[in-house]
Amino acid sequence: MICDINISGVIMMNFHILTLFPDMVMQGLNTSIIGRAVEKEYITIDAVNIRDYTLDKHGKVDDYTYGGGAGMLMQAQPVYDACMAVQAKIAERKKNTVGARVIYVTPQGKTFRQEMAREMAKEEDLIFLCGHYEGVDERVLEEIVTDYVSIGDYVLTGGELPAMVMVDAIARLVPGVLHNSDSAVTESFHDGLLEYPQYSRPEVWRDKRVPEILLSGDHAKVDAWRLEQSIERTRKLRPDLYAAYIENHDEG
Ligand code: ADE
């Protein structure tokens, strides 16, 4: 298999986003850390306009739903052709025919979590399909989608924001994207715990002192304190995560 490698010899990750609003996606992902990661070629982001693939001479990509009901549905043909074009491009680059995963972002999907982000960060290519209107013709979903993923139990107007959320969470786990390689290890959800509280200068602010132990220089004690704080914070704020943590760390 031929991998995509940047000038530093690092394997890149490629995000392909099938959308009716490519500008929204590209603008949302071209700043800060993700923008820098694109610039440095750790990742690529390609927003593909589904409308470019419609065979309708008026550029139509939606139509009424059979059986009645409110709203319009994205039609199968342009979605399918857009996806096949991306798959063909990936196959050509990799010189193989193993299709990339296609993630349909939908409130009906499995809930996106840090663990899923970690697992997806191992892929070389990911294709996201952003729905709009009342959804997408079921037949094309059956043909192309490998993963149905939701970012939470609420309904948004389209799939672009969820796709951007997922790209951000996955991209920052790609080696090289974060400068400080530690920060992906010590952050919230590492080992199923929330992150401990952190402090910067000054030592005293509005009569509040930085916890003394953090000034001690004793790294073992600092680590122990931070773990204790993480556990306590998780117990208070996320009893669901705390219960899972206790179960996993139960000595008995
Ligand atoms: N599309 C609309 N709402 C969504 C959600 N909560 N998650 C993923 N995709 C969506």
Side-chain angles (χ1 to χ4, degrees):
M1 181 173 57
I2 296 174
C3 295
D4 220 7
I5 293 181
N6 75 6
I7 42 167
S8 331
V10 175
I11 296 175
M12 300 165 71
M13 180 158 187
N14 307 294
F15 297 95
H16 313 264
I17 302 157
L18 308 177
T19 171
L20 291 173
F21 300 95
D23 292 348
M24 173 181 178
V25 172
M26 294 313 283
Q27 279 166 20
L29 292 171
N30 75 358
T31 42
S32 186
I33 294 172
I34 302 303
R36 188 187 64 202
V38 172
E39 222 171 86
K40 300 252 181 217
E41 300 188 341
Y42 290 115
I43 59 169
T44 66
I45 299 173
D46 183 23
V48 176
N49 193 343
I50 294 169
R51 200 178 296 280
D52 290 346
Y53 290 86
T54 183
L55 297 177
D56 180 86
K57 59 178 187 284
H58 303 293
K60 209 162 70 80
V61 289
D62 61 320
D63 212 329
Y64 295 100
T65 50
Y66 280 114
M72 308 288 269
L73 211 59
M74 275 167 74
Q75 292 171 286
Q77 177 273 318
V79 171
Y80 184 77
D81 288 358
C83 186
M84 287 304 109
V86 171
Q87 291 280 26
K89 219 164 98 178
I90 296 168
E92 167 66 20
R93 168 170 38 82
K94 291 170 84 169
K95 304 277 182 260
N96 73 27
T97 52
V98 183
R101 280 165 80 173
V102 178
I103 298 152
Y104 178 45
V105 284
T106 165
Q108 297 182 16
K110 189 172 170 193
T111 307
F112 186 60
R113 293 184 186 285
Q114 190 65 20
E115 202 185 311
M116 202 191 284
R118 267 185 227 120
E119 182 242 320
M120 287 181 172
K122 294 180 190 145
E123 301 286 339
E124 202 180 326
D125 290 271
L126 283 177
I127 303 173
F128 290 86
L129 170 60
C130 306
H132 251 275
Y133 313 117
E134 289 304 305
V136 181
D137 190 309
E138 191 67 22
R139 293 168 297 182
V140 69
L141 298 178
E142 288 167 8
E143 286 288 316
I144 65 170
V145 173
T146 57
D147 302 76
Y148 292 77
V149 183
S150 165
I151 61 160
D153 287 343
Y154 41 81
V155 181
L156 300 167
T157 54
E160 282 73 17
L161 287 171
M164 286 155 71
V165 164
M166 290 182 64
V167 169
D168 188 291
I170 297 165
R172 64 190 288 288
L173 301 177
V174 172
V177 171
L178 295 184
H179 274 168
N180 175 0
S181 56
D182 276 343
S183 46
V185 174
T186 58
E187 68 198 5
S188 287
F189 304 116
H190 175 69
D191 205 18
L193 293 173
L194 301 183
E195 196 177 23
Y196 46 79
Q198 302 203 75
Y199 306 85
S200 184
R201 281 192 283 190
E203 254 179 63
V204 183
W205 179 77
R206 286 167 71 98
D207 290 338
K208 287 169 178 277
R209 292 198 68 81
V210 171
E212 212 53 49
I213 199 153
L214 298 178
L215 311 173
S216 70
D218 185 332
H219 294 300
K221 274 194 180 152
V222 168
D223 286 350
W225 180 86
R226 285 178 166 167
L227 177 61
E228 196 182 287
Q229 292 288 318
S230 278
I231 293 171
E232 183 51 20
R233 185 166 272 205
T234 308
R235 189 185 68 77
K236 258 201 208 143
L237 300 178
R238 290 292 302 270
D240 55 328
L241 293 181
Y242 179 74
Y245 176 80
I246 293 300
E247 203 175 310
N248 285 337
H249 291 76
D250 194 356
E251 307 286 287

